[in-house]
PDB file of all heavy atoms in Angstrom:
ATOM      1  N   ILE A 332      -7.793   6.888  -7.190  1.00  0.00           N
ATOM      2  CA  ILE A 332      -7.324   7.288  -5.859  1.00  0.00           C
ATOM      3  C   ILE A 332      -5.913   6.764  -5.672  1.00  0.00           C
ATOM      4  O   ILE A 332      -5.665   5.563  -5.815  1.00  0.00           O
ATOM      5  CB  ILE A 332      -8.248   6.726  -4.754  1.00  0.00           C
ATOM      6  CG1 ILE A 332      -9.665   7.268  -4.915  1.00  0.00           C
ATOM      7  CG2 ILE A 332      -7.694   7.047  -3.372  1.00  0.00           C
ATOM      8  CD1 ILE A 332     -10.687   6.584  -4.010  1.00  0.00           C
ATOM      9  N   CYS A 333      -4.989   7.638  -5.349  1.00  0.00           N
ATOM     10  CA  CYS A 333      -3.597   7.253  -5.103  1.00  0.00           C
ATOM     11  C   CYS A 333      -3.279   7.356  -3.611  1.00  0.00           C
ATOM     12  O   CYS A 333      -3.539   8.397  -2.990  1.00  0.00           O
ATOM     13  CB  CYS A 333      -2.653   8.147  -5.905  1.00  0.00           C
ATOM     14  SG  CYS A 333      -0.905   7.668  -5.790  1.00  0.00           S
ATOM     15  N   GLU A 334      -2.759   6.271  -3.046  1.00  0.00           N
ATOM     16  CA  GLU A 334      -2.313   6.253  -1.642  1.00  0.00           C
ATOM     17  C   GLU A 334      -3.393   6.745  -0.685  1.00  0.00           C
ATOM     18  O   GLU A 334      -3.110   7.357   0.354  1.00  0.00           O
ATOM     19  CB  GLU A 334      -1.037   7.091  -1.467  1.00  0.00           C
ATOM     20  CG  GLU A 334       0.143   6.618  -2.296  1.00  0.00           C
ATOM     21  CD  GLU A 334       0.783   5.345  -1.785  1.00  0.00           C
ATOM     22  OE1 GLU A 334       0.343   4.832  -0.730  1.00  0.00           O
ATOM     23  OE2 GLU A 334       1.717   4.842  -2.437  1.00  0.00           O
ATOM     24  N   GLY A 335      -4.648   6.471  -1.020  1.00  0.00           N
ATOM     25  CA  GLY A 335      -5.739   6.830  -0.120  1.00  0.00           C
ATOM     26  C   GLY A 335      -5.891   8.313   0.132  1.00  0.00           C
ATOM     27  O   GLY A 335      -6.467   8.719   1.149  1.00  0.00           O
ATOM     28  N   ASP A 336      -5.396   9.153  -0.814  1.00  0.00           N
ATOM     29  CA  ASP A 336      -5.457  10.613  -0.619  1.00  0.00           C
ATOM     30  C   ASP A 336      -4.897  11.005   0.751  1.00  0.00           C
ATOM     31  O   ASP A 336      -5.357  11.973   1.374  1.00  0.00           O
ATOM     32  CB  ASP A 336      -6.890  11.131  -0.754  1.00  0.00           C
ATOM     33  CG  ASP A 336      -7.346  11.197  -2.203  1.00  0.00           C
ATOM     34  OD1 ASP A 336      -6.486  11.294  -3.091  1.00  0.00           O
ATOM     35  OD2 ASP A 336      -8.564  11.138  -2.438  1.00  0.00           O
ATOM     36  N   ALA A 337      -3.895  10.263   1.208  1.00  0.00           N
ATOM     37  CA  ALA A 337      -3.463  10.413   2.598  1.00  0.00           C
ATOM     38  C   ALA A 337      -2.290  11.370   2.747  1.00  0.00           C
ATOM     39  O   ALA A 337      -1.405  11.449   1.897  1.00  0.00           O
ATOM     40  CB  ALA A 337      -3.065   9.061   3.184  1.00  0.00           C
ATOM     41  N   VAL A 338      -2.283  12.082   3.861  1.00  0.00           N
ATOM     42  CA  VAL A 338      -1.069  12.665   4.437  1.00  0.00           C
ATOM     43  C   VAL A 338      -0.642  11.651   5.502  1.00  0.00           C
ATOM     44  O   VAL A 338      -1.295  11.542   6.551  1.00  0.00           O
ATOM     45  CB  VAL A 338      -1.334  14.043   5.053  1.00  0.00           C
ATOM     46  CG1 VAL A 338      -0.071  14.568   5.733  1.00  0.00           C
ATOM     47  CG2 VAL A 338      -1.839  15.022   4.000  1.00  0.00           C
ATOM     48  N   PRO A 339       0.395  10.854   5.242  1.00  0.00           N
ATOM     49  CA  PRO A 339       0.710   9.756   6.156  1.00  0.00           C
ATOM     50  C   PRO A 339       0.860  10.166   7.620  1.00  0.00           C
ATOM     51  O   PRO A 339       0.427   9.431   8.518  1.00  0.00           O
ATOM     52  CB  PRO A 339       2.016   9.198   5.585  1.00  0.00           C
ATOM     53  CG  PRO A 339       1.924   9.490   4.118  1.00  0.00           C
ATOM     54  CD  PRO A 339       1.260  10.838   4.040  1.00  0.00           C
ATOM     55  N   ALA A 340       1.437  11.337   7.861  1.00  0.00           N
ATOM     56  CA  ALA A 340       1.644  11.762   9.255  1.00  0.00           C
ATOM     57  C   ALA A 340       0.332  12.008   9.989  1.00  0.00           C
ATOM     58  O   ALA A 340       0.302  12.044  11.222  1.00  0.00           O
ATOM     59  CB  ALA A 340       2.497  13.025   9.289  1.00  0.00           C
ATOM     60  N   LEU A 341      -0.756  12.173   9.242  1.00  0.00           N
ATOM     61  CA  LEU A 341      -2.072  12.343   9.860  1.00  0.00           C
ATOM     62  C   LEU A 341      -2.846  11.025   9.920  1.00  0.00           C
ATOM     63  O   LEU A 341      -3.490  10.724  10.933  1.00  0.00           O
ATOM     64  CB  LEU A 341      -2.886  13.382   9.078  1.00  0.00           C
ATOM     65  CG  LEU A 341      -2.319  14.800   9.024  1.00  0.00           C
ATOM     66  CD1 LEU A 341      -3.223  15.698   8.192  1.00  0.00           C
ATOM     67  CD2 LEU A 341      -2.136  15.371  10.421  1.00  0.00           C
ATOM     68  N   LEU A 342      -2.806  10.245   8.842  1.00  0.00           N
ATOM     69  CA  LEU A 342      -3.637   9.045   8.804  1.00  0.00           C
ATOM     70  C   LEU A 342      -3.045   7.888   9.600  1.00  0.00           C
ATOM     71  O   LEU A 342      -3.789   7.147  10.253  1.00  0.00           O
ATOM     72  CB  LEU A 342      -3.870   8.610   7.352  1.00  0.00           C
ATOM     73  CG  LEU A 342      -4.825   7.420   7.176  1.00  0.00           C
ATOM     74  CD1 LEU A 342      -6.183   7.695   7.823  1.00  0.00           C
ATOM     75  CD2 LEU A 342      -4.996   7.065   5.706  1.00  0.00           C
ATOM     76  N   ILE A 343      -1.722   7.704   9.576  1.00  0.00           N
ATOM     77  CA  ILE A 343      -1.143   6.566  10.282  1.00  0.00           C
ATOM     78  C   ILE A 343      -1.448   6.616  11.785  1.00  0.00           C
ATOM     79  O   ILE A 343      -1.871   5.604  12.365  1.00  0.00           O
ATOM     80  CB  ILE A 343       0.363   6.461   9.982  1.00  0.00           C
ATOM     81  CG1 ILE A 343       0.551   5.998   8.530  1.00  0.00           C
ATOM     82  CG2 ILE A 343       1.047   5.488  10.944  1.00  0.00           C
ATOM     83  CD1 ILE A 343       1.985   6.052   8.036  1.00  0.00           C
ATOM     84  N   PRO A 344      -1.290   7.764  12.475  1.00  0.00           N
ATOM     85  CA  PRO A 344      -1.690   7.794  13.895  1.00  0.00           C
ATOM     86  C   PRO A 344      -3.183   7.527  14.090  1.00  0.00           C
ATOM     87  O   PRO A 344      -3.578   6.934  15.103  1.00  0.00           O
ATOM     88  CB  PRO A 344      -1.317   9.212  14.337  1.00  0.00           C
ATOM     89  CG  PRO A 344      -0.249   9.640  13.382  1.00  0.00           C
ATOM     90  CD  PRO A 344      -0.612   9.021  12.069  1.00  0.00           C
ATOM     91  N   ARG A 345      -4.007   7.956  13.150  1.00  0.00           N
ATOM     92  CA  ARG A 345      -5.435   7.679  13.263  1.00  0.00           C
ATOM     93  C   ARG A 345      -5.694   6.173  13.190  1.00  0.00           C
ATOM     94  O   ARG A 345      -6.515   5.640  13.956  1.00  0.00           O
ATOM     95  CB  ARG A 345      -6.190   8.402  12.144  1.00  0.00           C
ATOM     96  CG  ARG A 345      -7.695   8.280  12.214  1.00  0.00           C
ATOM     97  CD  ARG A 345      -8.358   9.097  11.116  1.00  0.00           C
ATOM     98  NE  ARG A 345      -9.811   8.993  11.171  1.00  0.00           N
ATOM     99  CZ  ARG A 345     -10.628   9.517  10.269  1.00  0.00           C
ATOM    100  NH1 ARG A 345     -10.126  10.199   9.231  1.00  0.00           N
ATOM    101  NH2 ARG A 345     -11.936   9.381  10.385  1.00  0.00           N
ATOM    102  N   LEU A 346      -4.985   5.483  12.312  1.00  0.00           N
ATOM    103  CA  LEU A 346      -5.188   4.040  12.162  1.00  0.00           C
ATOM    104  C   LEU A 346      -4.651   3.276  13.367  1.00  0.00           C
ATOM    105  O   LEU A 346      -5.268   2.299  13.810  1.00  0.00           O
ATOM    106  CB  LEU A 346      -4.529   3.548  10.874  1.00  0.00           C
ATOM    107  CG  LEU A 346      -5.109   4.123   9.579  1.00  0.00           C
ATOM    108  CD1 LEU A 346      -4.378   3.548   8.369  1.00  0.00           C
ATOM    109  CD2 LEU A 346      -6.608   3.873   9.475  1.00  0.00           C
ATOM    110  N   THR A 347      -3.509   3.693  13.913  1.00  0.00           N
ATOM    111  CA  THR A 347      -3.013   3.003  15.113  1.00  0.00           C
ATOM    112  C   THR A 347      -3.948   3.246  16.293  1.00  0.00           C
ATOM    113  O   THR A 347      -4.132   2.366  17.144  1.00  0.00           O
ATOM    114  CB  THR A 347      -1.577   3.434  15.461  1.00  0.00           C
ATOM    115  OG1 THR A 347      -1.524   4.847  15.660  1.00  0.00           O
ATOM    116  CG2 THR A 347      -0.612   3.040  14.354  1.00  0.00           C
ATOM    117  N   GLY A 348      -4.563   4.435  16.340  1.00  0.00           N
ATOM    118  CA  GLY A 348      -5.548   4.703  17.388  1.00  0.00           C
ATOM    119  C   GLY A 348      -6.764   3.802  17.253  1.00  0.00           C
ATOM    120  O   GLY A 348      -7.281   3.275  18.256  1.00  0.00           O
TER     121      GLY A 348
END
Side-chain angles (χ1 to χ4, degrees):
I332 299 170
C333 185
E334 300 287 357
D336 284 336
V338 176
L341 298 179
L342 185 56
I343 289 171
R345 184 177 180 186
L346 296 181
T347 58

